[in-house]
Amino acid sequence: MEYSLIRGVPDFTAQVFRPQRSKYCLCIPVINEGNRIQAELKRAFDAGIDKIVDIIICDGGSTDGSLSEEILESLGVQSLLIKRGPGKQGAQLRMGFWFALNQDYSGILTIDGNNKDSIESVPKFIEKLEEGYDFVQGSRYLQGGEAVNTPLIRHLAVTFIHAPIITLTAKHKFTDTTNAFRGYSRKYLTHASVQPLRDIFVTYELLAYLSVRASQLGMKVTEVPVSRVYPAKGKTPTKISFFKGNGGLLKILFLNLLGRYKPL
């Protein structure tokens, strides 16, 4: 099915493999993740994650053949959304959020699709959402979490730049703020003072904004321990370039601190 001309949502198509079966869904933004997304979905399938959440792939326009209908159906995916309009990760998440909120889910989880995160930890997020939390941040730095082979520059950037600035903006301490493994309540995403479905969120702005807005509004927030494992050898799985990408992230952090992403 094609969706277009929806305010704040990029044009996209949706392929639904099975009806909604769960109270919560897991949105996975990807683009050309190849074997990594397939390995991640296989881990989720083996752990029975597709039995407790509906898995929705939010594809930015992959061309590597990794998201074939046969593969996705065999690994328990509920829907495949393919972005046709402009934008990067922020647009993929807006597409997924709109689709999920129109399917009556009580909450939405997100995770990267590059097989670095412990997708088996999904039940921890559901438990917290069921307890009434509105924003649940996964953290490799909590007791019980794991940070394996994290590049030193990333560890230093998260610990001494990103997390302190997000903590200052949110007025709540967070420890692993670049981690996209998260849970959001329906109440949070539909709050009139949040409004995540806006074209201003193109790249990583939405992740930064949603990290801070819940606590700013007095909603319940928390962290849960997760694992994030980088490969011991080879290229680091990331879509963020060293200079341009990290410079853009810093700009987003400071615009977020200044309140530029709050709805007017």
Side-chain angles (χ1 to χ4, degrees):
M1 183 175 291
E2 296 185 5
Y3 296 88
S4 62
L5 302 178
I6 303 167
R7 185 175 181 182
V9 181
D11 293 351
F12 72 98
T13 60
Q15 191 169 2
V16 178
F17 302 119
R18 69 185 195 197
Q20 177 180 346
R21 300 198 304 198
S22 302
K23 186 176 178 180
Y24 298 97
C25 69
L26 173 65
C27 287
I28 309 179
V30 299
I31 183 166
N32 292 328
E33 291 293 353
N35 292 333
R36 291 185 292 269
I37 180 59
Q38 293 179 7
E40 182 171 300
L41 291 173
K42 178 64 163 57
R43 287 170 53 197
F45 186 79
D46 290 344
I49 299 302
D50 63 307
K51 304 295 191 301
I52 58 176
V53 292
D54 287 337
I55 298 174
I56 300 175
I57 302 295
C58 303
D59 180 35
S62 296
T63 56
D64 61 359
S66 60
L67 302 176
S68 72
E69 177 180 340
E70 181 180 1
I71 290 172
L72 297 184
E73 280 199 277
S74 70
L75 294 175
V77 171
Q78 194 265 346
S79 294
L80 168 64
L81 313 182
I82 302 176
K83 182 177 67 66
R84 304 298 187 190
K88 297 185 178 181
Q89 189 202 58
Q92 290 168 253
L93 289 174
R94 285 186 282 123
M95 169 180 72
F97 288 168
W98 182 88
F99 184 81
L101 291 172
N102 277 274
Q103 301 299 315
D104 263 350
Y105 289 104
S106 297
I108 301 172
L109 283 65
T110 62
I111 190 172
D112 285 338
N114 51 23
N115 200 34
K116 289 187 301 192
D117 298 298
S118 55
I119 197 167
E120 300 86 356
S121 301
V122 159
K124 297 179 182 179
F125 293 83
I126 294 177
E127 179 181 353
K128 291 301 181 182
L129 290 172
E130 286 287 285
E131 290 175 5
Y133 286 92
D134 296 296
F135 175 60
V136 186
Q137 171 70 66
S139 175
R140 74 195 102 172
Y141 297 120
L142 290 184
Q143 184 175 358
E146 280 188 298
V148 180
N149 299 324
T150 306
L152 179 60
I153 189 67
R154 288 178 179 271
H155 170 72
L156 295 175
V158 172
T159 304
F160 296 108
I161 300 175
H162 204 282
I165 294 175
I166 288 292
T167 292
L168 176 64
T169 310
K171 298 180 174 57
H172 181 93
K173 181 174 176 57
F174 290 107
T175 61
D176 195 6
T177 48
T178 61
N179 199 329
F181 200 177
R182 301 169 170 197
Y184 307 97
S185 73
R186 184 182 188 87
K187 171 187 169 185
Y188 180 27
L189 294 177
T190 59
H191 194 288
S193 296
V194 179
Q195 299 181 30
L197 303 182
R198 288 179 281 141
D199 292 334
I200 193 173
F201 302 121
V202 179
T203 59
Y204 300 102
E205 303 93 346
L206 188 55
L207 284 181
Y209 172 67
L210 290 177
S211 295
V212 306
R213 195 62 177 140
S215 53
Q216 288 175 345
L217 293 171
M219 294 183 171
K220 291 184 66 176
V221 302
T222 191
E223 291 184 308
V224 295
V226 298
S227 296
R228 172 159 275 209
V229 180
Y230 286 80
K233 298 179 181 179
K235 185 179 178 181
T236 300
T238 183
K239 295 292 188 295
I240 303 173
S241 61
F242 185 79
F243 290 107
K244 184 178 180 181
N246 285 307
L249 284 179
L250 280 174
K251 180 180 178 180
I252 288 168
L253 278 178
F254 285 107
L255 289 176
N256 196 34
L257 177 63
L258 294 172
R260 295 290 180 86
Y261 302 122
K262 295 178 181 179
L264 299 176

